[in-house]
Amino acid sequence: MLKRSWIGYATAVGAAAACTAIGWAMHPRFDLVNVAMVYLLAVVLVALEFERGPAIVASVLSVAAFDYFFVPPKGAFTVDDLQYLLTFAIMVAVALVISRLVVSIRREAAAKAALAIEAETERIRSALLASISHDLRTPLAVMAGASSSLAQGGDRLNAEERDALANSVFKQAQEMSEHVAKILQMTRLETGAIELDRDWVALPEIVSSVLSRLTERLARNRVIVELPPEIPLVRVDASLIEQALANLLENAANHTPPGTVVRLRAQQRDDEVVVTVEDYGDGLSDRDVERVFDKFHRGSIESGSGLGLGLAICRSIVRLHGGRAWAERVSGGGTAFHFSLPLEQSPSVPAEPAAG
Amino acid sequence: MAPRPTILVVEDEPEIRRFLRAAFGVEGYRTVESASGRRGSIDAGTHKPDLAIVDLALPDIDGVEVIRRIREWSSMPIIVLSARVQEHAKIEALDAGANDYVTKPFGIGELLARVRAALRQAVRPATGTLRLTFGDTVVDLDQRTARRGGEDVHLTPVEFRLLAALAKNAGLVVTHKQLLTEVWGPTHERDTHYLRVYMKQLREKLESDPIRPRHLLTETGVGYRLMLDD
């Protein structure tokens, strides 16, 4: 802000100087009134672009320069013809009027922007309600239906049907539990209710643990893991980072065709570790690449399930750790989702005597 | 087989007690139910169960307190039921003497597997030759030898000690603190990075796919678990 007002004053001085030069060139052939018009134009432009201060400076300097260089007697701040006083007054008045107009227009624009933010918040809130009611009602409906069929069907159902109904109650309950956990997690992250429980963690262990937890979800994809053998330990909240990685993998499983490869990588880059989940789905549009980590963003092509919270949770967790999360398109279709974690100096582990 | 094992369930939610009773009945276990922590501490003394299941969020006294009271006089296996948000309470419970945990909501299969592992561990003799077999690996903790797929594998003394600490509670979770205290001593109970390094070495030597381990498992944020072949 300070910098911008400094530029304003510099522009005001520059504009007055430039007008004097132009006026000097015009002077013998053009009437003095036209030279005054050039100064007026500069004052208007400065007033439009900057605050009131630079506009007044521009008008005062213009008046002074015009008086000194052009109004007889030249080379002095005195005025022979009193009508030029009116010219001076008008120049200052124009600067004041225009800068006042500009200020009020800016205020109006700011108010409109605030309204737009409010509307966006409202849109997100209703998107939340819509997704909650859809993603929680569906499993509830299945559970109510399947369990009441079990309760009432009794012996009339054969063993296979009973198994199928019972299993679908279990499956839907698990899914709903995941949804509820995500909503709670997002709320806790947003309200700052989470305190990081940092400890030294081996990323390969987090990867192993996520892969085993998501075996079923990832069954339709081929997961290729590429971890360099000497990847350093990171000091993070292991459970949260596991959650962040799980969300990236779930996202890949939800948005790629069965049978495609999902690549999971971690690399050290300078003083951070970058974890990448790369899929070969349909890829994202430019807009989606920018916004895919936003809350409730589900992509322009509606596909699969999910609240649109997984990636937002991932980003919040990573930011809490001082890292970043971002997406980029992979040539040949597909998307790479990355997150980075800052590295700290790993503590040493005492070596054992070589002999066993 | 010994007489039907008795399981004490300390849980205030009647619906949860109901399905646990049903599932344990199917498995041939006898169930004793306590709806509060104080009641549970007393029932543990009067019924002398073979195993206790303790919910961490009880209405009267803390589940961790129930575990402490039981541990004052008994080494019966204790499995904790915890909610997701109780990460700290879970570790506290394990360090107070609980042998394993299951996070709500859980499938009954998961709980039954833990119960079986805990009951098996409780009857295993404390002394005698400790021979571990898992996958294509055989480890003899007395002789300090390890073979994988017929080949000798060299384990360092610390690797043996770590494996022994896990084996003592095979099938059950062992917390970071417990492992560090046992292998490196109480002054190192917070040096989790030691575990990261040595577990990596053990997996590379004993697992066929170290990134998808089937026996030396990580319990994120809690500890490790050694799964032996049944």
Side-chain angles (χ1 to χ4, degrees), chain A residues 170 177-178 181 197 199-202 204-205 208-209 211 223 225 227 229-230 233 238-239 242 347-350 352 356, chain B residues 84-85 87-88 105-107 154 156-159 192-194 196-200 203 210-213 218 220-221 224:
Chain A
F170 180 41
S177 148
E178 287 293 319
D197 183 11
D199 203 345
W200 291 104
V201 170
E205 289 192 344
S208 304
S209 169
L211 289 179
V223 184
V225 182
L227 294 174
E230 287 313 321
L233 297 179
S239 310
E242 179 177 320
S348 61
V349 175
E352 272 189 89
Chain B
R84 247 185 240 241
V85 287
E87 195 83 11
H88 276 105
F106 53 88
H154 174 77
T156 68
V158 172
E159 286 166 356
T192 327
H193 55 286
Y194 290 13
R196 307 301 182 209
V197 170
Y198 279 94
M199 284 306 291
K200 177 178 181 235
R203 285 197 185 104
I211 201 67
R212 289 182 174 82
T218 307
T220 302
Y224 294 91

Side-chain angles (χ1 to χ4, degrees), chain A residues 66 93 126 144 194 204 309:
Chain A
F66 181 52
S126 43
I194 287 188
L309 281 180

Side-chain angles (χ1 to χ4, degrees), chain A residues 247-312:
Chain A
N247 289 2
L248 286 192
L249 284 168
E250 274 187 334
N251 179 70
N254 285 343
H255 297 278
T256 53
T260 55
V261 164
V262 173
R263 221 176 271 276
L264 169 52
R265 264 200 309 262
Q267 281 167 296
Q268 180 178 358
R269 285 190 202 159
D270 303 324
D271 53 354
E272 57 180 20
V273 169
V274 178
V275 178
T276 302
V277 172
E278 200 170 280
D279 67 47
Y280 301 93
D282 297 330
L284 295 175
S285 67
D286 282 332
R287 188 169 173 274
D288 286 342
V289 164
E290 296 251 316
R291 300 199 47 194
V292 70
F293 278 97
D294 288 355
K295 212 171 15 155
F296 306 123
H297 183 78
R298 289 200 194 196
S300 32
I301 312 157
E302 185 69 31
S303 66
S305 57
L307 296 172
L309 281 180
L311 295 182

